[in-house]
Amino acid sequence: MRQQQDQGDGLFIIGVLALTLFILAIMWAVLGVHALFLGRMPGHWLQQRVRQPRLWGAGALLMLVSWNIHSPSLLTIGIGLVALGHVVKPTR
């Protein structure tokens, strides 16, 4: 009886973690689309830290795509684009 309860607790924890990861992926996608299409980051904190929002958004979306197709090379490129979005100064 105790073993069944432990298995149920483990499944509950895995379910909560999976739901949390799913919600974070949706939030990341929304931020990426917002940055890519509108050219700005939502919120004051992100606007101060991201210098190239379109580059950041492309990297964020590429990271999600790489997770879906299990491609470490696309993940690396996406992380690089997100980092460049923080570092590269605007050319205006």
Side-chain angles (χ1 to χ4, degrees):
M1 185 73 155
R2 178 76 178 149
Q3 186 178 10
Q4 287 178 341
Q5 185 179 7
D6 289 341
Q7 288 177 348
D9 291 344
L11 287 176
F12 176 75
I13 291 172
I14 289 173
V16 169
L17 289 175
L19 181 64
T20 302
L21 188 61
F22 181 71
I23 290 171
L24 286 173
I26 289 173
M27 289 173 51
W28 191 254
V30 168
L31 282 174
V33 168
H34 186 277
L36 184 64
F37 290 148
L38 298 181
R40 60 185 178 89
M41 298 298 292
H44 185 67
W45 188 81
L46 279 173
Q47 284 179 1
Q48 288 180 339
R49 280 151 183 80
V50 177
R51 294 180 177 182
Q52 291 285 343
R54 291 185 195 268
L55 196 60
W56 190 95
L61 293 176
L62 199 58
M63 288 169 64
L64 286 175
V65 168
S66 72
W67 180 34
N68 192 23
I69 62 173
H70 308 291
S71 174
S73 58
L74 282 181
L75 178 65
T76 304
I77 293 169
I79 291 172
L81 287 175
V82 167
L84 284 174
H86 282 281
V87 175
V88 174
K89 291 184 180 181
T91 57
R92 295 179 199 156

